[in-house]
Amino acid sequence: MPATLRNLAQRLGMMAHSFPGGVHPEQHKVSGATAIEVNALAPVHILPMKQHIGAPCSALVNIGDRVLRGQKIAKSEGYVSVPIHAPTSGRVVKIEEHPIAHPSGMGMPSIFIETDGDDAVDQTLEPISDWLNADPAILRERARMCGLAGLGGAVFPTFIKLVRDQRFPIETVILNGIECEPWLTSDHRLMTESATEILIGMRMIKHMVGATAGLIAIEDNKPKAIAAMREAVAAVNDLNDVRVVELPTRYPQGSEKQLIYTLTGREVPAGKLPMHVGIICQNVGTTKALYDAIALGEPLTERVVTVSGDALPRPANLLVRLGTPARLLFARQGLEDFTGLQIVHGGPMMGERLKGPDIPVVKSTNGLLALSANAMAAAHTVEQPCIRCGHCSEACPISLTPNLLADQCRSDQFDKAADYQLFDCIECGCCSYVCPSNIPLVHYFRYGKGQIALTRREQAFAEASRQRSESRDARIEREKAEKAARRSRVRQTHAPKPDTSKPETAKTDNATATNSSNTANTKPEEHS
Amino acid sequence: MTGLLYALASLGAFALLAGLVLAIAQKMFHVEGDPMVDKIDAMLPQTQCGQCGYPGCKPYATAIAGGEAEVNHCVPGGERTMLQIADLMGVEPKAVEEEAAAPRLAFVREDECIGCTLCIKACPVDAIIGAPKQYHTVIADHCTGCELCVEPCPVDCIDMVTKPELLEHWSWPLPDTRRSQLAHERREQHAGHA
Amino acid sequence: MTEIALTLLSAVLVNNFVLTKFLGICPFLGTSSKVETAVGMSFAVMFVMTLASTASWLVQQYVLIPLDLLYLQTIFFILIIASLVQFIEMMIHKTSPVLYQGLGIFLPLITTNCAVLGVAILNVQQDQTFLTSALFGAGAAMGFALVLILFAGLRERIEIAPAPIAFKGSPLALITAGMMSLAFMGFSGLVKI
C-alpha cells in the first residue's frame, strides 16, 4: 500500500499505527529455546572505564586493592554517567588500556580484577523492600548508584530517564521486549524466565515517574515470552492498567521512537526525548536490573548475553559477570579457532564488527556472534553504482532518502546532508540491507556524522581561539595606551622641575612591571 | 532640428531623473564597513599563525574581502577552508600550496625552562601560563599549534608534540570501497582542473 | 480574463524565454550552481523584468511615439534597465551581502541580460496594453525563475553524482539544459484554441 494512503488510514483510525519502512531479515533465533545458563567466574575480569553513553569514569581503586562483588570501583564524572562495580571479589592487578568493542579498534583504560573464587559480596546497599512508599528521588539515586544503563545496547544512563518533571508528566511506561535483531534471544529468555521480576521492575518505574499505564511490547516471534508475561500480569490482581502487546515481527520495531509510534501513534520529534510526549521506554533487561538494584540491593554486575552465530557449535544464553573476556564465552560453547570468522558485538544489523574476540563483556553486550564468511557474504561484496531503485527510501523507518544522503556524504557536502536530516538517521542498517548495489549506506552516514561533529568541534575551538586572540590584542593596546599616558604624564611633571629625579625612577619601575607581567598592574587612578 | 532637440531633451531629462533616483537609493542603502570580513574570519581556523603572510586571521580575512589576497594561503585550514572561502567569495578554488602538518601542540620541558616569559608574549591566543622566574606551561586545550613560541625561547625548551588521539574524537573514515575512493579522487581532480 | 491567463501561461511555459526563445542563457548557466543563488537571481530578475517592461511600455507610449523618437528605443530601454539594475544591486548589497557575493558579476550583468531587453522590445512590438505588458513581463520573469531554480536543483544533484571527469561541471550542465529544453517543447501543445 502506498505510504500516503497507509498514513491516512492510520490517522483516521482505520488501521493500527505502524512506522514506515522496515525490513524482515532472517531470524536465526537458534538459541530461543535454550534456558539461561550461569557462566562460571573468569580468572580475570576486565572492566573498561566507560560502559555507558556519556563521560568516562575515573578509578577509585589502586593496584593491589582487594575488592568485593558489588563494590564501586570507578566513580562517574559528570551528569550523564554511572559508576562501575566489581563483578566479583578479588584483587586489582593492573589498570591499563585494553581493547573494547569500538569500531576504531582503540583501547580504553580498564581495571583488571583477579578473581579469588570466594565471590564475597559487598553488602553496604540495603534492599528497599517497601519501594511502593519510598520517595521516587531515593529510588532514582539507587538506580544511579547501582550503575544502571540501558541494557538493550544503547547504554544510556537509566536514572536520567526515571524523572518526574512537572512540565512533562509521564503517562505511559513502555517495556521494550521486542528484540528485533536477528540471532539475539537474551531478552526473550529473560522474559520467559523472570517475568515476575520484570513486572515488579515495571511497577517500580511506574511509581517513580508517576505513570498510570503500562505496555509491555513483545514481537509475535516470542510466543513463550508473551505467555509468561501475560501470566505474570494476570497473577497480580490490581493490574488492569498494564497490558502485554503482541506486535508483528519487523526490524527495527525495537527502536525506541518506532516502538512508541507503533504503540501509541505519537511521534517523538527530532531532537526530543520520549518524555516530551509523555512516555518512558525501558528495555526488559534494564527493568530486571532495576528490580535487582531496588528490591535486592544489588548493583549491576551481570547480564544475560546471547552467544550465537552460525560458526558456533552450541549457541546459548548465558548469565555473565561483566568483564568476562568474550573468548572464554566462545570457548565454553565450543569455539576456539577464530580464523576466517567475523566476531560481532551486539546484533548483526547494528552491532560492532570486531577484529577478534579479545574484548570483555560490558553493560551493552546483549550478544556475541561468531559468523562465518558465508553469513557475512553480503558485507564483503563490491559496491556497485546506485541504480536509483528507491528501495532504501522505502525501507527507511525515518522516511529519509538514503541514496541522496550517501551521495552528499561521499562528496563531503555535509551541510546539505544535515539539511536532509542526516542526524535523524538511527543507523538501523535497513537501507544497506535492501540495497541491491551493496552500497554501504550506513557507513557513509557515519562518516558524514563524524565529519560534521569534527567541523563543529573545530569551529568551537576556532571561536574560542579568536576570542582569546582578540582579548589579547585589546590588552596589548590598552597596555600601550597606558604606557603612553604615563610617559606623557612623566614628561609633564618632568618639564617644570628638571632637577628632581623621582619621576624618572617611577617611570622605569612601572615600565619593568608592565613588561614582565601579563596583566596591567597599574592602578587606574595613575593614568587618569 | 526640433526632432534632435526633442531627442536630446527627453533623453537628458530621463537620464537626470534616473540619476536622481539612484543617488537617493545610494543614500538609503549605504553599507557601512564590509560584512564579508567577519564571515571569512569565522571560516579561518584562528590559529593566528601568520603562515598566510598576514599578522593574524582577521587581517587575512580583511585582505581576502578586499580582493587583495588569494583564498589559498591558509595552511592550517587546508583545502576545506579554501573551498569554503572560495565558495563564499564566488571565485574559482585554488590549490593550497603547502600541506598542513598533523595537528600538533607546544610542550614546555619544564625542568629546562628559565622563566623568561618570552613565549608567553609570543603566544597569540594566551595559551601559555607562567610568571617571571617561574616554570611556564602550555594549556593543551587552548594551544593552536602555531609554533610561534618555539622561535623566541632562548633555551629551546619548547617541543612540538603530536596531539594525542582521543577515543571520543574518533570518527568513521570513508568506506574502504573502490567506488568511494574513486568518487573522492574524481572530485579532487575536477577541482584541480577548474 | 482568458486573455490574461493565456498571456501568463504563454510567457511562463509555452514561450519560456530561456528554454524556447534561448534568451538569458548567460545567467541561466552562470548562477545555477546553487539553489540559494538561483533563488536570489530569480527574484532580482523578476523585479527588474516586471518593472522594465512596464516602464518601457510607458516610455514607448508617452515619450517615444508622441515625439516620434522610435529610433531611440534601444537607448531608452537600456537606460531604464541599467538604472533598475543599479538600484537592485544597491538593495541586495545592503540586505544580503552573501547573496551579493554569490551573484557576483552576474548581478550587474542583468543589464545585458538579453531576456530583459527582449521582453521590453517584444512588448512594444506586440502592441500590448499596459496591463498585458506588465503581465507579460511578470510571466516571462516567472518562467525564467522557474527554469533557473529547477535547473539549479538538478545541478546540485548532478554535482554529487559520480560522473566521469570529462562530463563533470559545465558539460553535464549543458546536456541537462538541452534535455530541459526538449522537455519544455512539450508545452507547445498545451493550449488549443
Side-chain angles (χ1 to χ4, degrees), chain A residues 58-92:
Chain A
S58 55
L60 288 173
V61 289
N62 293 311
I63 294 168
D65 287 0
R66 182 161 194 270
V67 292
L68 298 171
R69 180 182 181 190
Q71 183 184 335
K72 188 155 98 169
I73 53 171
K75 69 172 186 345
S76 49
E77 301 280 345
Y79 178 67
V80 186
S81 184
V82 284
I84 296 164
H85 303 81
T88 182
S89 64
R91 206 168 51 86
V92 177

Side-chain angles (χ1 to χ4, degrees), chain A residues 79-135:
Chain A
Y79 178 67
V80 186
S81 184
V82 284
I84 296 164
H85 303 81
T88 182
S89 64
R91 206 168 51 86
V92 177
V93 284
K94 58 181 173 176
I95 301 177
E96 62 175 44
E97 203 150 280
H98 189 272
I100 54 163
H102 192 271
S104 68
M106 286 160 85
M108 161 92 63
S110 310
I111 299 175
F112 290 64
I113 296 174
E114 198 180 61
T115 311
D116 61 8
D118 298 345
D119 204 22
V121 180
D122 178 12
Q123 292 182 326
T124 39
L125 282 183
E126 293 285 322
I128 306 176
S129 47
D130 190 21
W131 53 267
L132 204 50
N133 294 314
D135 180 3

Side-chain angles (χ1 to χ4, degrees), chain A residues 383 444 455 468 472 475, chain B residues 80 121 123 125-126 177 180:
Chain A
E383 179 186 348
Y444 281 115
T455 314
R468 274 198 303 279
R472 174 178 178 268
R475 190 185 65 233
Chain B
R80 200 193 307 198
K121 286 190 198 111
C123 181
V125 291
D126 283 343
T177 60
S180 80

Side-chain angles (χ1 to χ4, degrees), chain C:
Chain C
M1 198 59 215
T2 342
E3 200 196 354
I4 293 174
L6 283 178
T7 311
L8 266 179
L9 198 68
S10 146
V12 177
L13 294 178
V14 183
N15 294 313
N16 188 287
F17 266 64
V18 181
L19 294 180
T20 43
K21 290 206 167 80
F22 304 118
L23 291 169
I25 295 292
C26 166
F28 177 66
L29 290 172
T31 61
S32 56
S33 53
K34 273 192 295 181
V35 172
E36 293 100 73
T37 324
V39 171
M41 186 66 177
S42 299
F43 279 105
V45 168
M46 266 163 133
F47 179 83
V48 172
M49 227 183 226
T50 315
L51 280 189
S53 59
T54 46
S56 55
W57 186 87
L58 287 174
V59 168
Q60 173 84 7
Q61 294 300 315
Y62 297 109
V63 180
L64 300 186
I65 293 177
L67 298 181
D68 197 21
L69 293 172
L70 281 175
Y71 59 93
L72 283 179
Q73 198 186 44
T74 315
I75 291 185
F76 260 90
F77 288 3
I78 288 285
L79 188 65
I80 292 168
I81 294 166
S83 4
L84 278 171
V85 169
Q86 280 296 313
F87 182 80
I88 198 154
E89 189 183 345
M90 284 182 231
M91 209 167 81
I92 290 178
H93 195 178
K94 173 83 178 177
T95 49
S96 171
V98 176
L99 181 59
Y100 184 76
Q101 282 289 342
L103 293 174
I105 188 68
F106 291 103
L107 189 54
L109 278 186
I110 300 178
T111 313
T112 56
N113 183 345
C114 37
V116 182
L117 187 64
V119 171
I121 291 179
L122 281 178
N123 252 336
V124 294
Q125 278 177 0
Q126 290 171 354
D127 289 330
Q128 308 262 29
T129 64
F130 179 72
L131 186 67
T132 48
S133 78
L135 273 175
F136 187 64
M142 278 191 271
F144 180 83
L146 177 76
V147 296
L148 182 62
I149 295 169
L150 284 179
F151 188 54
L154 285 172
R155 279 188 74 176
E156 271 194 359
R157 299 248 177 148
I158 291 170
E159 179 66 28
I160 56 174
I165 301 169
F167 284 104
K168 278 250 170 203
S170 308
L172 257 183
L174 288 169
I175 294 170
T176 315
M179 276 155 62
M180 275 184 86
S181 178
L182 283 175
F184 265 69
M185 278 184 180
F187 285 124
S188 58
L190 190 64
V191 184
K192 217 170 174 187
I193 302 172

Side-chain angles (χ1 to χ4, degrees), chain A residues 386-390 392-393 400-408 410 431 439 441 445, chain C residues 157 160:
Chain A
C386 174
I387 55 167
R388 322 229 160 225
C389 62
C392 52
S393 303
L400 301 175
T401 46
N403 65 332
L404 185 62
L405 283 172
D407 274 351
Q408 285 161 340
R410 179 164 40 204
C431 49
I439 301 172
L441 292 149
F445 304 155
Chain C
R157 299 248 177 148
I160 56 174

Side-chain angles (χ1 to χ4, degrees), chain B residues 46-60 73-76 98 124 144 146-148:
Chain B
Q46 304 298 331
T47 46
Q48 318 291 346
C49 61
Q51 288 180 72
C52 51
Y54 292 85
C57 292
K58 188 92 180 225
Y60 179 45
H73 294 319
C74 183
V75 178
E98 278 175 73
T144 61
C146 66
E147 304 187 20
L148 289 180

